[in-house]
Amino acid sequence: MRVFHSVRNLHSWRTKQELLEGPIGFVPTMGALHDGHLSLMQRARKQCRTVVVSVFVNPLQFGETEDLGRYPRSFRADRRLCREAGVDLLFAPPPEEFYPANFQTTVTVNRLTRRWEGEARPTHFQGVTTVVTKLFGLVRPHLVYFGQKDYQQCLVVNQLIQDLNWDMRMIRCPTVRESDGLAVSSRNRFLSAHQRVQAGLLSKALRQGSDVIRTGIRNVRTIQSRMEKIFGSDPDVHLDYLAICDSKSLEPLTQVGGTVVILGAVRLGTIRLIDNLLVRCP
Ligand code: AMP
């Protein structure tokens, strides 16, 4: 496995790749790699001749009051995991090279970023779309791998790919979960034992929503109140949103029909967790 920290090395590597056949698969990450990331790499390894992973804690996608400073970083362990997963190239640029002092370009996707995570974290998606635009431009992958865990992000990046006519396909990979259903996340390591139990309630509420829909109930208010009951009245759990939306536009619904996505976000102390479930209504 090769490891590049500089943009210049990546440029010359990519130019040489033009002569080789077969797709380049790309998995962008912020590091602190776990089984969720690994599942993306494994999928890419199966489908592509060359697999590129980036590890870059992107300052642009953190709000001023968010956890950029204490976001987990574990480059040695990440490098080992990538090597073991058969990754060909690990790209981990230092932030000051990636965003030099005079950097002044941002990329914005409009409608899809307004609600949910976009509302809770107003500058987040602009940070995401700016960093992936730069990374996609450098790596020039054929297939890009993203996790359904960040469902809104998948739709936003897909929109970017369509809008800019990039010759690239997104592979959305299923959410990897712990045994109680909690979606694996780099931030889970910050949960106290009590918070870890509370965190499990989010996926439980989503499954409850899906079960209620399967019983034939279509009224969103009714489904929502059944999901909210899962959290009880614990004052330490702050429910940011629990929404049932159109799976393509992410607009909230009043009646369920077709394929819907249930989106959820909770705050436990300073830790914010998100999850979602796609439900196909019979
Ligand atoms: P991050 O490092 O959190 O920016 O995530 C990098 C990629 O891994 C994103 O496409 C995430 O959606 C994906 N990812 C994170 N957690 C999981 C998970 N539990 N299951 C599947 N994919 C995940």
Side-chain angles (χ1 to χ4, degrees):
M1 181 179 80
R2 315 189 80 165
V3 181
F4 293 157
H5 295 285
S6 89
V7 165
R8 190 207 290 226
N9 284 345
L10 187 62
H11 267 312
S12 57
W13 173 85
R14 186 60 185 87
T15 306
K16 287 188 200 122
Q17 297 298 308
E18 297 297 344
L19 304 171
L20 301 173
E21 289 201 355
I24 296 180
F26 178 43
V27 183
T29 82
M30 295 208 299
L33 300 179
H34 52 59
D35 286 351
H37 300 115
L38 184 60
S39 72
L40 272 53
M41 293 177 205
Q42 288 167 336
R43 183 86 172 264
R45 189 62 286 166
K46 275 199 194 119
Q47 298 180 321
C48 302
R49 173 184 53 82
T50 306
V51 177
V52 181
V53 171
S54 63
V55 164
F56 181 63
V57 182
N58 174 32
L60 287 194
Q61 71 190 70
F62 289 78
E64 270 179 22
T65 58
E66 291 179 7
D67 56 351
L68 172 64
R70 66 184 191 105
Y71 194 84
R73 290 160 170 88
S74 53
F75 186 70
R76 278 159 171 260
D78 292 350
R79 189 173 51 193
R80 191 175 341 111
L81 190 137
C82 288
R83 193 175 286 128
E84 286 168 6
V87 169
D88 297 292
L89 173 64
L90 171 59
F91 179 53
E96 55 285 2
E97 182 180 353
F98 206 69
Y99 296 124
N102 191 33
F103 187 81
Q104 39 190 307
T105 301
T106 51
V107 180
T108 307
V109 169
N110 288 309
R111 245 181 347 266
L112 271 171
T113 61
R114 293 216 180 107
R115 290 185 192 274
W116 319 122
E117 285 310 281
E119 198 173 335
R121 308 177 68 189
T123 56
H124 173 68
F125 282 120
Q126 189 176 73
V128 171
T129 42
T130 301
V131 80
V132 298
T133 301
K134 278 174 67 77
L135 289 169
F136 289 177
L138 286 164
V139 177
R140 284 184 279 134
H142 304 94
L143 296 167
V144 293
Y145 295 81
F146 284 78
Q148 186 187 320
K149 150 89 170 28
D150 300 280
Y151 186 78
Q152 189 173 9
Q153 171 171 279
C154 286
L155 294 193
V156 169
V157 173
N158 216 14
Q159 188 70 41
L160 180 70
I161 293 171
Q162 306 302 319
D163 287 351
L164 299 186
N165 303 110
W166 284 329
D167 186 14
M168 206 179 280
R169 191 153 67 90
M170 174 186 286
I171 310 292
R172 194 173 73 210
C173 302
T175 304
V176 174
R177 298 178 179 282
E178 305 283 358
S179 55
D180 68 337
L182 173 66
V184 176
S185 161
S186 310
R187 291 182 171 100
N188 291 355
R189 68 190 68 192
F190 296 129
L191 296 167
S192 68
H194 179 53
Q195 286 173 331
R196 174 64 189 80
V197 175
Q198 294 168 318
L201 298 177
L202 179 55
S203 65
K204 207 169 158 206
L206 299 177
R207 282 198 307 279
Q208 166 80 347
S210 162
D211 291 346
V212 173
I213 292 171
R214 280 183 220 290
T215 65
I217 294 176
R218 295 286 175 265
N219 180 278
V220 164
R221 252 330 300 159
T222 312
I223 303 162
Q224 268 172 331
S225 68
R226 296 275 292 275
M227 289 195 288
E228 282 162 13
K229 278 208 182 99
I230 297 282
F231 294 97
S233 52
D234 192 332
D236 298 335
V237 182
H238 180 91
L239 192 56
D240 256 9
Y241 58 79
L242 206 47
I244 303 183
C245 308
D246 180 274
S247 63
K248 294 201 169 76
S249 69
L250 296 189
E251 291 299 310
L253 299 168
T254 51
Q255 285 290 118
V256 168
T259 300
V260 300
V261 62
I262 313 180
L263 300 173
V266 289
R267 267 186 288 130
L268 305 167
T270 56
I271 305 159
R272 193 160 177 285
L273 301 175
I274 59 169
D275 198 354
N276 67 84
L277 212 55
L278 272 172
V279 185
R280 286 170 192 89
C281 302

